[in-house]
Amino acid sequence: MPAFAQEPLQVREIGSLHVGGRVATIEGLPEREITFSPGSPPLRMNPNGDFQVEQMYAQYVKLANPRARYPLLLWHGGGLTGVTWETTPDGRPGWQMAFLRAGHDVWVSDAVERGRSGWARFPEVLAGEPVFRTMGEGWGLFRLGEQAGWNRDPARRVAYPDSRFPLAHWDQFMKQGVPRWVTTDRQIQAAYDAYVQAACPCVVMVHSQGGNFGFTAALTAPDKVKALIAIEPSGAPPQAAEAARLKDVPHLVVWGDHVAENAFWARIRQNIDRWQGQIRAAGGTADTLDLPAEGIRGNSHMLMMDTNSDEIAGRIQAWMAAKGLMR
């Protein structure tokens, strides 16, 4: 990161907002008697009525003298929340702090049905039921090692020899995991689109599941999204999407290591490469930061938590500066 990275931050404002959502009415459910705390009298509760649902929460930190032209919005991935961007599992400052120190106003959000956005009754409001990630699922999915290398006993776990994830803190990382639905993309996209209208013009940085939401938000509001940075995005718009709308919205996609030998991620990357090609064919900018190709090996899917996260943030910051996004 630049030399000014360790100067004290001069903060103008810390605040938050909720955006999007709707009022849902629930009818026909039976009443229940509930005791809210030991010793208190029971209350008869009627679960029917009108409820605020499908809203999204965001917190912002605004600097006294930002050097970036636009605020930076950080969007997390699946089964996660905005904590992704805060302190790393091993206690280092995360990318929220890194980009504040680089001169950006930084906004961190929790998508619909995650974290402080809250969730609604299911299946009455949210279709289906939540999905819970086991402690072991992410070991292979997030490419710390082969899936067979997972073990409940930390001493018996087998990671890639070059892994840059702070392996001793995997259990700490898993405390960040939250339930997610696989039926709420429409609601999540609507909330992100409302968020862009409320907080932008801006630069959007997305991770994993957040990728397709960011790509689509840029297509919907190319006048509001001034650049999009996708950290290992897991989805992209369809072939029929109008990539020409993004000719003035520079895109950067960042990839870690061990993608090619992971069938799931290799297939995802083909889809992302296809979308980047469409943007370039339409006259836009779609750059790739392939860390292994640049000699930086061992990065996991959680690049913002890896032991070289500051170095990666510095390369992303340099790209933003080169695109004229700093004052």
Side-chain angles (χ1 to χ4, degrees), residues 142-224:
F142 292 175
R143 305 195 315 279
L144 279 71
E146 298 292 343
Q147 188 62 57
W150 161 256
N151 194 289
R152 177 65 189 89
D153 180 357
R156 299 176 63 186
R157 296 173 191 170
V158 180
Y160 292 123
D162 58 4
S163 177
R164 291 182 183 258
F165 190 88
L167 297 168
H169 301 274
W170 176 254
D171 289 8
Q172 183 68 25
F173 166 62
M174 287 308 302
K175 295 178 182 181
Q176 298 183 18
V178 296
R180 62 171 291 186
W181 273 256
V182 295
T183 58
T184 54
D185 281 9
R186 176 183 56 80
Q187 296 94 319
I188 294 173
Q189 187 68 63
Y192 274 130
D193 290 343
Y195 183 30
V196 166
Q197 292 302 315
C200 299
C202 59
V203 174
V204 174
M205 183 182 296
V206 297
H207 175 240
S208 197
Q209 185 204 19
N212 199 44
F213 298 130
F215 292 139
T216 302
L219 280 167
T220 300
D223 58 324
K224 296 284 190 178

Side-chain angles (χ1 to χ4, degrees), residues 198-266:
C200 299
C202 59
V203 174
V204 174
M205 183 182 296
V206 297
H207 175 240
S208 197
Q209 185 204 19
N212 199 44
F213 298 130
F215 292 139
T216 302
L219 280 167
T220 300
D223 58 324
K224 296 284 190 178
V225 178
K226 299 301 182 180
L228 192 137
I229 301 158
I231 311 300
E232 295 213 346
S234 63
Q239 187 84 35
E242 192 178 351
R245 292 177 58 80
L246 301 174
K247 61 183 180 62
D248 297 322
V249 183
H251 282 55
L252 173 68
V253 174
V254 184
W255 293 106
D257 205 352
H258 303 291
V259 172
E261 60 261 49
N262 185 297
F264 177 81
W265 281 106

Side-chain angles (χ1 to χ4, degrees), residues 1 4 18 22 68 75 91 95 135 163 195 317:
M1 297 297 290
F4 54 71
H18 282 85
R22 64 185 177 92
W75 300 5
W95 281 7
M135 289 184 64
S163 177
Y195 183 30
Q317 175 63 25

